[in-house]
């Protein structure tokens, strides 16, 4: 058990290190950099010497390997560098922009799970066969819907036509309803599909027949026997889809005009603000790795077969 | 005096819906089970025996439907009860012992909680009372220490132990009727015997009736009071076991009795058995598997196994699961390198061959696998499947290949019509014929048959065994026959090695080993063969009626 845990944590750290390095190298090979974009504009009227001086003050004139190790050292001590465009520390920008995005992503994740479970449960109720067929077709529809279009449609329907959610100065909760839905619906689609298929597979297992033969009702079997067995593969996919959620958050924030990591990323890309981008990549990777680590650590809790050594006692 | 039957099935017809069509699989079946009686539903796969049994529990598969007829339990017609109403009697009045203990327990819940569940559903007492009853039941079915067992998960138990848990669940509420659907077909023969004894014992204690579904006439003869023989969804014959075995009226029952391997005679000793021409000589075969963790660093799966097989004869390797028989034959066909020992096939030491030489040598020793459904590529035609081995060795012109394939199919009793078909269009017996044809197309000298007839129904099994016998005579083949089924082994083999925990505990000519076994283990195996209740007539005169010492 301790070995399993250590192994997983080690893997997570390795993924983080690789992501950091890959992001660093890719950002360095981009032509041009933030200093040029900001200080070479004719409005500034700086001479080439002055620009070279500014470059030196940012450490941009050092060789690649030296900058790499400096950045690694800085990140390990929690120093993410300084945004050249904004002239403030990146950590300060993250402090304002990360929490709203994390809140949005987490709410969407929870909403997606709830949606998934509702879809799967309703479609398995007796007498709901017609609904089941319909619902099983729905997820494929959800998957093919682009996030930005969904966001616009939700605003169109709920805000403009039904007037349920106000667009002008909405409250803190009201503001989040539509963005969360926009993000949750496309994620819940593949999840629900996988969960439904798993439920069907588990329902065909002989131990379900044994439970029915004990006199257990359909719902009893569904909740006490099928749920835990069917949820495990779904969790794996949920972890993987969390990455999609982060990407979706960028688009969603743009559509709904929310400030957050999305806006920050957008600006930073435009300005080639490498320090900011490096920090965003690492933070996103950290979130992704953490979610998947949690999923991995949940397995042995959900499935006792993974907790002990294989081999039947005699 | 007339007793109201506990279970009365009258004129039952059941259909399954596939696509838009309804296909009837049970036609007008009527039988009854009296309180405390054991009735066996006997038949081959597709006979409708399991469907009939499921219907008595109201647990037909989703696309199944009772078309007509009635099922009465204690005089009450339950045929059209809702699932909700049936829930109140399932587990309490009628219970189930399922076929495959391996997958019949929820892998993520402890066995204690799964046993407690049946008591919770029917609200028998509070937490404490239920726990006490769980412990009592586990002790009753021989799972001790019960407190520890209750906290274990299914994967920590062996197959026989899992079946004990399932029996405890079935008897927990003292039901009037237990439906036992092939309760022991997935278990080793010695475990099978202990499990059947346990069911018998519990049944007698509480006067529970049992509807025993089985394909094994031997099991039915040993354990049932009455037999109901089904074929293609129709009852062929029913009556008291003794009468039916002594004087079967229907041709089908006679066929089943004739094909049941437990009745078979050992093959007579053949001429040439004293010859010193050995096709296979295995000396001191040992195989260790590395084990991670724990005290020991390796596990000895095969320990010092030696045997010789004369050319043109059949040697059987018999053992239960975990005996090492599979590992042993994997070495003999050259799939794995043994840790120690020599394997001579036609005088060539297989253990010294490597790479291309080993591959070329495979031509001489071919394998037929257990599962005829998994061993044929579903996308290939039969012609292609049989032809494939020829493509792996020196090239033969296409016309010659086609002729060889046709010849070989004819030899295994399949017409040319089969050439363009796909495996899914074939029955289990036909598929196994294809597998044999594929193995023989390279003209091997040795054929290794790994549980090659275990997945087949008795009549099909008998046909394949006689085909193998005929092929051996005409082609002079040497067989290495691996099986867990002593009855089949007795029918087909000249010599035998009995394996137990990796060691050979008995070996030699078949009549010696079966008549005067050296080891207690072999004796136990022989005693456990079901079918002692079968007619004495069928026991060959040269052997005493009882094989036990």
């Amino acid at each position: 058990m301790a070995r399993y845990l250590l192994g997983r944590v080690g893997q997570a750290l390795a993924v983080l290190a690789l992501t950091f390095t890959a992001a660093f190298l890719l950002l360095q090979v981009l032509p041009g950099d933030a200093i040029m974009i900001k200080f070479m504009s004719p409005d500034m009227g700086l001479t080439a010497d002055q620009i070279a001086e500014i470059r030196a003050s940012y450490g941009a004139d050092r060789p690649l390997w030296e900058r790499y190790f400096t950045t690694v050292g800085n990140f390990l001590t929690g120093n993410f560098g300084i945004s050249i465009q904004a002239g403030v520390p990146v950590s300060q920008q993250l402090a304002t922009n990360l929490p709203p995005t994390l809140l949005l992503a987490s709410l969407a994740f929870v909403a997606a799970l709830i949606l998934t479970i509702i879809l799967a449960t309703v479609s398995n109720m007796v007498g709901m066969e017609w609904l089941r067929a319909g619902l099983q077709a729905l997820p494929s529809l959800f998957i093919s819907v682009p996030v930005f279009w969904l966001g616009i449609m939700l605003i169109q329907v709920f805000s403009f036509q039904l007037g349920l959610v106000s667009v002008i100065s909405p409250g803190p909760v009201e503001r989040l309803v539509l963005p969360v839905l926009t993000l949750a619906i496309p994620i819940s689609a593949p999840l629900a599909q996988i969960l439904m298929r798993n439920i069907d597979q588990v329902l065909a297992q002989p131990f379900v027949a044994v439970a029915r033969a004990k006199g257990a009702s359909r719902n009893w079997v569904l909740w006490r026997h099928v749920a835990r067995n069917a949820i495990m593969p779904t969790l794996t996919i949920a972890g993987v889809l969390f990455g999609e959620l982060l990407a979706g958050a960028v688009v969603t924030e743009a559509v709904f005009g929310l400030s957050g990591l999305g806006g920050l990323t957008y600006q930073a890309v435009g300005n080639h603000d490498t320090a900011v981008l490096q920090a965003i990549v690492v933070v996103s990777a950290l979130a992704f790795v953490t979610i998947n680590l949690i999923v991995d650590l949940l397995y042995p809790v959900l499935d006792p077969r993974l907790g002990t050594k294989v081999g039947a006692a005699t | 005096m007339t007793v109201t039957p506990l279970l009365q099935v009258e004129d039952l017809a059941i259909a399954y819906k596939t696509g838009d069509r309804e296909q009837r699989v049970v036609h007008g079946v009527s039988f009854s089970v009296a309180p405390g009686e054991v009735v066996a539903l006997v038949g081959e796969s597709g006979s409708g025996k399991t469907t009939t049994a499921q219907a008595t529990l109201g647990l037909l598969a989703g696309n199944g439907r009772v078309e007509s007829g009635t099922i009465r339990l204690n005089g009450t017609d339950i045929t059209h009860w809702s699932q909700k109403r049936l829930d109140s009697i399932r587990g309490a009045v009628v219970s189930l012992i399922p076929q495959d203990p391996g997958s019949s327990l929820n892998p993520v819940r402890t066995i204690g909680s799964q046993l407690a569940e049946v008591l919770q559903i029917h609200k028998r007492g509070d937490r404490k009372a239920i726990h006490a009853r769980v412990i009592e039941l586990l002790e009753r079915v021989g799972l001790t220490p019960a407190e520890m067992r209750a906290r274990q998960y299914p994967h920590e138990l062996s197959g026989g132990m899992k079946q004990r848990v399932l029996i405890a669940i079935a008897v927990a509420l003292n039901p009037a009727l237990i439906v036992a659907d092939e309760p022991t077909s997935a278990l080793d023969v010695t475990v099978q015997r202990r499990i059947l004894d346990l069911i018998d014992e519990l049944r007698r204690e509480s006067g529970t009736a049992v509807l025993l579904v089985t394909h094994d006439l031997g099991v039915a003869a040993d354990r049932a009071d009455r037999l109901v023989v089904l074929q293609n969804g129709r009852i062929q014959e029913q009556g008291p076991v003794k009468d039916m075995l002594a004087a079967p009226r229907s041709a089908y029952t006679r066929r089943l009795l004739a094909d049941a391997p437990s009745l078979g005679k050992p093959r007579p000793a053949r001429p040439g058995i004293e010859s010193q021409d050995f096709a296979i000589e295995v000396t001191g075969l040992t195989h260790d598997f590395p084990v991670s963790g724990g005290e020991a660093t390796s596990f000895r799966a095969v320990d010092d196994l030696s045997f010789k097989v004369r050319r043109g004869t059949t040697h059987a390797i018999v053992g239960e699961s975990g005996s090492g028989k599979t590992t042993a034959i994997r070495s003999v066909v050259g799939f794995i390198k043994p840790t120690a020992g020599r394997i001579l096939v036609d005088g060539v030491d297989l253990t010294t061959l490597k790479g291309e030489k080993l591959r070329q040598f495979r031509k001489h020793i071919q394998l037929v696998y257990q599962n005829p459904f998994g061993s044929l590529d579903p996308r290939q035609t039969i012609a292609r499947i049989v032809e494939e081995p020829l493509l792996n060795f020196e090239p033969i012109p296409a016309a010659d290949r086609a002729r060889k394939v046709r010849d070989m199919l004819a030899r295994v009793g399949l017409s040319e019509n089969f050439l363009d078909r796909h495996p899914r269009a074939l029955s289990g017996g036909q598929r196994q014929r294809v597998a044999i044809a594929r193995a023989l197309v390279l003209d091997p000298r040795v054929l290794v048959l790994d549980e090659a007839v275990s997945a087949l129904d008795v009549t099909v099994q008998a046909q394949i065994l006689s085909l193998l016998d005929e092929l051996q005579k005409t082609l002079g083949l040497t067989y290495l026959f691996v099986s867990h089924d002593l009855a089949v082994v007795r029918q087909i083999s000249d010599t035998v090695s009995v394996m137990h925990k990796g060691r050979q505990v008995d070996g030699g000519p078949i009549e010696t080993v079966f008549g005067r076994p050296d080891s207690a283990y072999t004796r136990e195996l022989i005693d456990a063969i079901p079918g002692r209740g079968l007619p004495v007539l069928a026991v060959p005169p040269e052997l005493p009626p009882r094989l036990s010492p």
Side-chain angles (χ1 to χ4, degrees), chain A residues 205-207 209-217 220 224-225 228-229 232 302-305 308-309 311-314, chain B residues 59 83 87 90-91 96 98 103-109 114 117-118 121-122 153 155-158 161 166 169:
Chain A
Q205 292 284 315
F207 69 77
V210 169
R212 292 308 306 274
K214 288 175 184 171
S217 68
W220 176 294
R224 292 176 202 234
H225 288 281
R228 201 161 137 193
N229 280 290
M232 283 184 287
L302 287 172
D303 191 343
R305 282 169 296 185
T308 46
K309 286 222 168 57
T314 31
Chain B
L59 282 179
Q83 287 294 325
D87 283 343
R90 280 196 287 246
L96 169 77
S103 54
S104 292
L105 288 168
N106 187 339
V108 302
R109 293 181 55 183
Q114 296 189 58
E117 189 179 25
V118 65
I121 289 168
H122 297 280
Y153 288 94
H155 70 275
E156 298 172 280
L157 270 60
S158 67
M161 286 157 82
L166 288 157
I169 291 170

Side-chain angles (χ1 to χ4, degrees), chain B residues 201-255:
Chain B
E201 217 178 290
L202 292 168
R203 176 184 77 72
R204 273 183 233 280
E205 273 172 26
S206 53
T208 305
V210 174
L211 181 62
L212 177 68
V213 178
T214 181
H215 69 282
D216 189 332
L217 210 57
V219 167
D222 282 354
R223 309 288 169 168
D225 301 314
R226 283 193 304 121
L227 293 183
V228 177
V229 178
L230 283 164
Q231 186 197 19
N232 297 329
R234 288 191 172 81
I235 292 185
Q236 294 301 316
E237 187 170 358
Q238 60 176 312
V241 168
K242 284 197 184 68
D243 300 358
M244 262 176 76
L245 295 178
R249 276 172 289 121
S250 78
Y252 182 67
T253 314
R254 278 197 291 276
R255 169 92 255 153

Side-chain angles (χ1 to χ4, degrees), chain A residues 47-92:
Chain A
T47 65
D49 282 353
Q50 281 171 314
I51 288 174
E53 208 170 294
I54 294 170
R55 291 183 69 85
S57 77
Y58 279 103
D61 57 340
R62 302 292 169 83
L64 185 66
W65 63 269
E66 199 184 319
R67 276 182 283 146
Y68 176 74
F69 285 107
T70 318
T71 318
V72 169
N74 286 343
F75 266 74
L76 287 178
T77 52
N79 173 8
F80 296 148
I82 290 172
S83 160
I84 293 163
Q85 195 69 30
V88 293
V90 174
S91 50
Q92 198 179 317

Side-chain angles (χ1 to χ4, degrees), chain B residues 127-447:
Chain B
R127 241 185 137 76
K128 237 177 113 187
I130 286 177
H131 181 73
R133 176 78 176 130
V134 164
I135 298 303
E136 186 192 336
L137 281 164
L138 285 176
E139 274 168 358
R140 183 61 199 87
V141 297
L143 287 172
T144 49
E147 287 282 357
M148 187 264 277
R149 296 290 180 208
R151 285 192 303 273
Q152 282 186 316
Y153 288 94
H155 70 275
E156 298 172 280
L157 270 60
S158 67
M161 286 157 82
K162 279 184 235 184
Q163 196 58 295
R164 284 171 193 269
V165 175
L166 288 157
I167 290 170
I169 291 170
V171 301
L173 296 176
N174 286 322
L177 174 69
I178 296 176
V179 175
D181 183 5
E182 301 269 14
T184 56
S185 0
L187 302 172
D188 280 326
V189 58
T190 52
V191 183
Q192 173 182 61
R193 186 188 186 192
R194 286 195 284 267
I195 293 292
L196 290 171
D197 283 349
L198 176 67
I199 295 176
D200 255 357
E201 217 178 290
L202 292 168
R203 176 184 77 72
R204 273 183 233 280
E205 273 172 26
S206 53
T208 305
V210 174
L211 181 62
L212 177 68
V213 178
T214 181
H215 69 282
D216 189 332
L217 210 57
V219 167
D222 282 354
R223 309 288 169 168
D225 301 314
R226 283 193 304 121
L227 293 183
V228 177
V229 178
L230 283 164
Q231 186 197 19
N232 297 329
R234 288 191 172 81
I235 292 185
Q236 294 301 316
E237 187 170 358
Q238 60 176 312
V241 168
K242 284 197 184 68
D243 300 358
M244 262 176 76
L245 295 178
R249 276 172 289 121
S250 78
Y252 182 67
T253 314
R254 278 197 291 276
R255 169 92 255 153
L256 274 184
L257 281 169
D259 291 337
S262 28
L263 302 172
K265 298 179 266 302
R267 80 187 312 167
R270 291 186 294 192
I273 199 137
E274 296 81 21
S275 94
Q276 291 303 308
D277 180 15
F278 294 108
I280 307 173
E281 285 178 73
V282 171
T283 330
L285 179 68
T286 299
H287 196 99
D288 291 336
F289 285 112
V291 182
S292 60
E295 304 276 291
T297 51
S298 69
F299 166 72
R300 185 150 286 191
V302 180
D303 189 2
D304 196 22
L305 173 68
S306 304
F307 61 87
K308 290 177 179 180
V309 190
R310 288 184 181 84
R311 192 175 308 286
T313 69
T314 301
H315 182 79
I317 299 182
V318 183
E320 299 188 291
S321 36
S323 62
K325 59 185 193 298
T326 302
T327 307
I329 60 140
R330 285 179 65 83
S331 297
V332 173
V333 293
F335 284 157
I336 49 173
K337 276 238 172 305
T339 310
R342 257 180 9 137
I343 300 162
L344 295 182
V345 177
D346 266 339
V348 178
D349 190 350
L350 256 182
T351 56
T352 61
L353 294 179
K354 268 197 214 117
E356 183 57 21
K357 273 197 173 145
L358 179 61
R359 199 181 76 82
Q360 287 296 337
F361 197 77
R362 294 237 166 87
K363 220 178 352 178
H364 305 303
I365 178 159
Q366 285 287 307
L367 187 60
V368 177
Y369 298 89
Q370 166 166 19
N371 183 348
F373 295 89
S375 66
L376 305 179
D377 184 340
R379 292 176 182 279
Q380 293 184 342
T381 61
I382 302 306
R384 176 79 190 165
I385 290 171
V386 178
E387 180 189 32
E388 194 178 6
L390 293 171
L391 302 173
N392 296 329
F393 295 96
E394 62 267 38
I396 307 173
D400 288 358
R401 279 206 309 269
R403 187 181 42 76
K404 251 182 127 78
V405 168
R406 274 199 305 277
D407 285 355
M408 205 37 81
L409 277 183
R411 256 192 204 291
V412 298
L414 294 177
S415 72
E416 285 189 17
N417 298 334
F418 282 93
L419 284 170
D420 296 324
R421 293 194 197 165
H422 288 270
R424 65 172 175 278
L426 272 61
S427 70
Q430 287 167 342
R431 286 174 207 225
Q432 208 56 313
R433 283 173 194 265
V434 173
I436 292 169
R438 172 174 62 183
L440 290 179
V441 79
L442 288 170
D443 301 319
R445 279 163 263 178
V446 174
L447 205 56

